[in-house]
Amino acid sequence: MADTAKLTVGDQSIELPIVEGSEGERGLDIRKLRSEMGLITLDPGYANTGSCQSRITFIDGDKGILRYRGIPIEEVAENSTFLEVAYLLIYGTLPTRDQFKNFHASITYHTMIHEDFKRFFGALPKDAHPMAACSASVGALSTFYPDSLDPRDPRQVEVSVHRLIAKMITLAAYAYKHSIGQPFMYPANNRSYVANLLYMVFGTPCEEYIVDPVIERVIDMLLILHADHEQNCSTSAVRLVGSSMVNLFSSIAAGINALRGPSHGGANQEVINMLAAIRDEGMTARQFVERAKRGDPTARLMGFGHRVYKNFDPRMKIIKKGCFDVLGKLGVHSKLLEIAVELEEIAIKDDYFVERKLYPNVDFYSGVTYTAIGIPSNMFTAFFALGRLPGWIAQWMEMHHDPDFKIGRPRQIYTGPTLTHYVPIEER
Ligand code: ACO
């Protein structure tokens, strides 16, 4: 197959190299297009634009394939733990026993946050959304650790990475505790990463909190499933912001903000709002699907559709199964799950969704699962952020080691007024 493509515009031609990835994906390398042809590309939403070459995560959206560092998501979800997956994404290989022991010990050691964070959270409004509180507090970490902010210093980066993974569970739990007016719980480092998170979210100083191992495992699995998803909106935000050479904490805060949007990670909370509205307003699933087909962007079937998956999202399949398993084990009956299943069954057979290749995505069943195990809906997206954190970090680090690294700076096609002159205010 040709390894260049010829582009002819008028009487000018250029040979554009074709770059091929390890899984056969092909792309045109247009780096010389502007300098040699005076042309740029226009691709709103970047649907056809590769922003980098990456070795971290592979997705085949047509076949519904997702792999972390080459390992199928199904195998990772079944056999691994979230911290091991974090290591895999960040360092590139599964850890040996010793490597994992050291990583685990370092993460556990750093979970405590500066006592002044109590005042920081205390200054936020009572009803501050935990995602806003998380992004603000992660950004604020850079003010507490000015000694480790240089993205070019590998030791400083490693310290920041470990601090961030460790402290993020504590910050997320504080964000939640603040929103319900309960005392902040200090991390208890004799627990696993996820058990510590659940303890800080649900525990109180008044009584002992025992973590249910079924819930601990399902949360661990949800974090694994969210851990990376190549160049999605929030990851691209992390890379773009990080490309200015700002520190890791500021870059991750940008990712958290991007994730919160309802078209992205915020969809998990929206799905539950949608299911609850269907239940409470006495609407049928069919009526809701009909409404979602009108093309009104404010009445979409939340948890459906994906820029990359034009087939079932493999994460959704695992979460759906996990959701049934956990509800069965806990003996919980969920009306919301019934509605979700009915919506899915109607939508995947409906011409509107079939023609547009709209399938349930990762968010469709995650909210139902979180609800069933008692996670409050305003924390769904914060849990997503906890899961995505190692992916953001791995992508940020990969970008800094990329020989093609440059500050991210897209171009535009200007369509505003041509030269016009300033008019003094009295003449307007
Ligand atoms: N419900 C109804 N119609 C939909 C939906 C939906 N959930 N999603 C897309 N469509 C329709 C659009 O109206 C459009 O129809 P048209 O061709 O007649 O105009 C067509 O499908 C294509 O939609 P786009 O918005 O162009 O697709 P895009 O790839 O830009 O958007 C997105 C993907 C944002 C995920 C979209 O499907 C959506 O809004 N889904 C609901 C929100 C959601 O679940 N987001 C979570 C995604 S997963 C994640 O980020 C973690």
Side-chain angles (χ1 to χ4, degrees):
M1 237 182 280
D3 52 9
T4 60
K6 188 170 180 181
L7 174 70
T8 304
V9 180
D11 54 5
Q12 276 187 303
S13 286
I14 185 172
E15 296 276 340
L16 297 171
I18 295 179
V19 180
E20 185 160 329
S22 52
E23 289 285 350
E25 280 171 315
R26 305 177 88 221
L28 289 181
D29 179 342
I30 56 148
R31 272 176 278 195
K32 294 225 164 76
L33 192 59
R34 189 170 173 279
S35 58
E36 294 193 5
M37 299 279 275
L39 289 171
I40 62 164
T41 56
L42 181 63
D43 185 20
Y46 311 123
N48 304 284
T49 297
S51 59
C52 60
Q53 298 189 47
S54 178
R55 301 173 61 83
I56 302 171
T57 290
F58 171 68
I59 302 175
D60 183 328
D62 296 319
K63 296 190 183 136
I65 291 173
L66 168 62
R67 296 182 198 139
Y68 294 161
R69 300 282 186 188
I71 309 176
I73 189 68
E74 294 79 6
E75 286 178 33
V76 186
E78 174 82 25
N79 301 303
S80 193
T81 61
F82 175 65
L83 274 194
E84 189 183 54
V85 170
Y87 188 101
L88 170 71
L89 292 170
I90 292 168
Y91 295 102
T93 55
L94 286 169
T96 62
R97 221 179 271 281
D98 277 352
Q99 285 169 331
F100 186 69
K101 201 170 138 217
N102 292 337
F103 181 65
H104 184 268
S106 176
I107 300 299
T108 306
Y109 175 74
H110 285 291
T111 50
M112 201 163 72
I113 54 178
H114 197 288
E115 200 65 2
D116 284 351
F117 266 106
K118 286 189 176 165
R119 284 195 290 130
F120 179 89
F121 282 101
L124 298 175
K126 181 82 191 55
D127 55 356
H129 193 285
M131 278 297 271
C134 277
S135 79
S137 56
V138 167
L141 283 174
S142 66
T143 66
F144 287 87
Y145 301 107
D147 58 330
S148 61
L149 301 181
D150 184 353
R152 282 161 299 207
D153 180 330
R155 180 65 197 137
Q156 293 190 30
V157 168
E158 177 146 67
V159 171
S160 294
V161 166
H162 288 206
R163 278 182 178 146
L164 188 49
I165 296 176
K167 292 179 198 311
M168 184 85 175
I169 47 170
T170 316
L171 293 173
Y174 274 32
Y176 175 61
K177 288 297 197 192
H178 172 71
S179 76
I180 57 167
Q182 283 189 1
F184 300 139
M185 298 294 285
Y186 291 115
N189 288 346
N190 55 340
R191 297 168 190 263
S192 75
Y193 185 79
V194 169
N196 212 353
L197 164 69
L198 291 170
Y199 163 73
M200 287 190 281
V201 168
F202 291 117
T204 69
C206 315
E207 54 211 38
E208 197 185 352
Y209 175 75
I210 296 167
V211 177
D212 183 329
V214 173
I215 295 178
E216 182 182 343
R217 176 60 198 147
V218 82
I219 294 291
D220 198 80
M221 182 199 72
L222 284 162
L223 298 185
I224 291 173
L225 294 176
H226 287 91
D228 193 49
H229 214 235
E230 50 116 311
Q231 309 313 318
N232 57 83
C233 176
S234 55
T235 302
S236 299
V238 169
R239 278 185 176 255
L240 188 64
V241 170
S243 77
S244 72
M245 297 303 287
V246 74
N247 64 77
L248 179 68
F249 302 122
S250 303
S251 309
I252 299 296
I256 298 172
N257 284 322
L259 187 71
R260 188 181 169 192
S263 297
H264 191 17
N268 56 15
Q269 190 175 350
E270 297 295 325
V271 169
I272 282 296
N273 294 343
M274 172 184 82
L275 297 175
I278 294 173
R279 178 194 61 196
D280 299 341
E281 291 167 22
M283 210 186 293
T284 64
R286 165 103 28 217
Q287 282 168 330
F288 195 88
V289 169
E290 289 307 321
R291 204 182 78 171
K293 285 159 57 178
R294 284 188 217 139
D296 174 355
T298 61
R300 286 190 164 183
L301 188 53
M302 298 310 285
F304 256 73
H306 198 276
R307 173 60 64 76
V308 179
Y309 291 119
K310 301 300 167 195
N311 197 328
F312 282 97
D313 180 335
R315 302 167 299 174
M316 182 289 292
K317 286 189 186 170
I318 302 171
I319 294 179
K320 185 178 176 184
K321 183 176 171 304
C323 185
F324 276 103
D325 281 356
V326 76
L327 288 172
K329 281 184 190 150
L330 300 176
V332 175
H333 169 257
S334 165
K335 178 70 185 159
L336 297 181
L337 178 61
E338 270 176 24
I339 298 171
V341 170
E342 202 185 343
L343 279 175
E344 183 194 348
E345 279 170 2
I346 296 171
I348 59 169
K349 289 187 204 127
D350 190 288
D351 284 350
Y352 174 95
F353 291 87
V354 173
E355 279 160 19
R356 290 168 180 75
K357 299 190 176 164
L358 301 170
Y359 289 87
N361 60 48
V362 66
D363 291 322
F364 195 66
Y365 285 103
S366 63
V368 184
T369 314
Y370 286 132
T371 305
I373 58 181
I375 308 290
S377 66
N378 66 351
M379 282 299 281
F380 293 176
T381 320
F383 272 67
F384 191 153
L386 289 169
R388 184 54 54 87
L389 182 62
W392 287 332
I393 291 171
Q395 301 273 351
W396 184 91
M397 288 172 69
E398 184 180 69
M399 174 187 74
H400 280 293
H401 288 109
D402 189 336
D404 290 332
F405 172 73
K406 273 179 183 303
I407 187 169
R409 204 304 184 184
R411 291 265 170 181
Q412 63 165 11
I413 302 285
Y414 175 70
T415 58
T418 52
L419 181 65
T420 184
H421 291 287
Y422 180 78
V423 179
I425 195 161
E426 55 280 5
E427 291 173 29
R428 284 176 224 158

